[in-house]
Amino acid sequence: MRVWLACFFVLFALAELFDWVKEFTLPLPIYILGGAFLAVASNYDKIVGSYFNDGTIERSPEPPQLDSSPQSLSPISLPEPQNRKQEVEG
C-alpha cells in the first residue's frame, strides 16, 4: 500500500510540474544569452586552443588540403568511342 501511495504522489507531482513548465516562459534576452553560452561552450577548445601555441593543448590534425593546381579546375574530357570514329569516316 505504501508503494502505491508513493507512486501516486510522485506521478501527481510530475504532472503538476509538467503543467507548470508548459506555462513558464523566459524573456528574449535570456534565450540570446543562452544561445551565446552554448556557442562558446561548443567551441571552447578552438577558442582557448588558439591562445596556447606552445602545445599544452593537443589540437586535432589539420584536414588534408585539396589539390589547388589549375589542372584540377579544367573540364573533364572523355575519349570518344571507337565506333563513332568509324561511322564518321565511313
Side-chain angles (χ1 to χ4, degrees):
M1 181 71 177
R2 288 183 183 176
V3 174
W4 286 106
L5 282 175
C7 289
F8 172 77
F9 283 118
V10 168
L11 290 175
F12 180 76
L14 287 175
E16 290 297 320
L17 180 68
F18 180 72
D19 284 341
W20 178 76
V21 169
K22 264 192 341 188
E23 295 176 9
F24 186 73
T25 58
L26 292 172
L28 183 62
I30 299 296
Y31 283 114
I32 293 171
L33 289 174
F37 172 75
L38 288 175
V40 169
S42 65
N43 294 312
Y44 181 76
D45 58 337
K46 294 177 186 173
I47 294 169
V48 174
S50 64
Y51 292 113
F52 297 108
N53 291 330
D54 59 355
T56 57
I57 295 178
E58 186 176 327
R59 298 178 70 184
S60 61
E62 296 293 325
Q65 298 294 324
L66 298 175
D67 184 20
S68 61
S69 64
Q71 296 173 351
S72 65
L73 299 176
S74 63
I76 299 173
S77 60
L78 299 174
E80 293 186 21
Q82 294 293 333
N83 296 345
R84 185 168 182 172
K85 287 184 180 179
Q86 292 174 356
E87 290 175 6
V88 174
E89 291 175 1

